[in-house]
DNA sequence: ATATATTAATTGACATATCAATCATTGATA
DNA sequence: TATCAATGATTGATATGTCAATTAATATAT
């Protein structure tokens, strides 16, 4: 009659899992920034800019999946720190085109290295199968809650 | 000479995984609050208070692993909304003791139900083995970055 | 052609988190 | 016991994110 785990514990375990994921994410955010010197979102923006010559803010916004307002503010700061340059589009005066500066292009390599190192540490001890399954589960959780 | 995956792709896949986890977490935060009507941290605070008669803010802070300042602000709002009550400790006038009000104690049941429902949805299609492995991997990632 | 819609970007108001500084109280010590 | 250190809570400054309202430019429709 005994299953592996009483049904009443399942709820508790899953709640604990959610809580653990929440805490893990907070840890990751904090440590990522500490190790790399830049936040995940900010580096994500730079990452997309790196792969392209120029990009409108809206395109960028859709790629990195951050609010319009947040993009504007990130880019302002990145511009102020000399990492990116912005200019109005000639064809459509509403759009602002963004690109990495030379300085930004060289600095991002350093950030990427730190990021890779961070990830290596975070995932050390994980087998290839585990990583695949983890990616799969993350994807499925995303799917499951995307309907709401 | 061919391994399963060229080494250069591993970095990219892991970076994608990190990014997916980041996005998942943002999704979870948003949808959780939408579904339950309260944020994860806030409900976490109530959850700990539920299991106990009274608690000092510092004890609570350590349990939920949120900054002192954030705790103070959460509790102020929870007090304003009638969910919790606070009083100074007689033995030590520095400490503030917190407890759920009757109203808070009854409302939390509703929140917990919504939360359980949310989690069920999020984890639907996950086998017991998968859940165990996921919990294990989350724990290991946490361990791996705790040193930094 | 002019009024109306839509689109891109910005700004303001708000929520939540952190860190650093401060205040009040208590404990320890010289 | 008078001083100094440690502790609990609060507050202020700052960072990042959201949503809603606004502004400017372009597209559409009558």
């Amino acid at each position: 009659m005994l299953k592996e785990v009483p049904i009443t514990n399942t709820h508790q375990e899953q709640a604990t899992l959610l809580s653990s994921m929440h805490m893990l994410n907070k840890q990751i955010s904090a440590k990522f920034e500490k190790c790399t010197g830049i936040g995940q979102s900010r580096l994500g923006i730079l990452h997309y800019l790196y792969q392209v010559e120029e990009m409108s803010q809206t395109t960028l916004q859709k790629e990195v999946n951050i609010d319009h307002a947040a993009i504007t503010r990130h880019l302002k700061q990145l511009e102020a720190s000399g990492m990116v340059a912005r200019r109005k589009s000639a064809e459509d005066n509403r759009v602002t085109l963004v690109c990495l500066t030379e300085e930004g292009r060289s600095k991002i390599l350093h950030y990427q290295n730190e990021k890779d190192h961070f990830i290596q540490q975070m995932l050390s001890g994980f087998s290839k199968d585990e990583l695949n399954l983890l990616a799969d589960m993350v994807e499925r959780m995303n799917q499951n809650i995307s309907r709401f």
Side-chain angles (χ1 to χ4, degrees), chain A:
Chain A
M1 186 189 164
L2 279 176
K3 284 267 183 178
E4 281 185 72
V5 174
I7 192 74
T8 49
N9 279 357
T10 304
H11 278 198
Q12 183 47 52
E13 280 166 21
Q14 295 184 0
T16 302
L17 174 57
L18 180 63
S19 170
S20 299
M21 287 172 58
H22 191 231
M23 293 217 291
L24 172 61
N25 204 76
K26 219 166 58 170
Q27 278 279 309
I28 288 176
S29 295
K31 300 292 170 85
F32 184 96
E33 185 145 6
K34 188 174 169 186
C35 293
T36 65
I38 194 173
Q40 279 175 284
S41 297
R42 202 85 135 234
L43 187 51
I45 289 173
L46 296 177
H47 173 74
Y48 277 103
L49 289 175
Y50 187 77
Q51 301 172 309
V52 101
E53 285 211 18
E54 242 179 356
M55 219 173 185
S56 79
Q57 288 194 191
T58 297
T59 308
L60 188 56
Q61 185 266 316
K62 280 164 190 151
E63 293 279 14
V64 296
N65 203 36
I66 290 178
D67 189 84
H68 274 115
I71 290 285
T72 293
R73 284 157 187 152
H74 275 301
L75 289 175
K76 273 190 185 172
Q77 288 181 257
L78 287 169
E79 191 178 31
S81 69
M83 300 278 291
V84 311
R86 296 196 295 164
R87 68 183 185 91
K88 286 277 178 184
S89 164
E91 296 122 36
D92 187 336
N93 260 298
R94 289 170 302 183
V95 337
T96 300
L97 296 171
V98 196
C99 67
L100 288 182
T101 59
E102 279 311 309
E103 188 191 343
R105 214 159 258 281
S106 67
K107 269 190 184 168
I108 198 181
L109 294 173
H110 169 259
Y111 287 135
Q112 289 286 1
N113 282 341
E114 296 300 321
K115 174 181 165 179
D116 285 342
H117 182 244
F118 174 83
I119 294 176
Q120 289 294 319
Q121 294 291 321
M122 184 180 88
L123 298 177
S124 75
F126 282 64
S127 74
K128 201 158 283 260
D129 283 348
E130 285 176 328
L131 290 178
N132 286 334
L133 184 53
L134 179 55
D136 179 58
M137 290 195 282
V138 167
E139 169 66 18
R140 282 154 62 200
M141 284 187 273
N142 234 322
Q143 290 279 332
N144 282 344
I145 65 176
S146 66
R147 304 177 224 123
F148 296 157

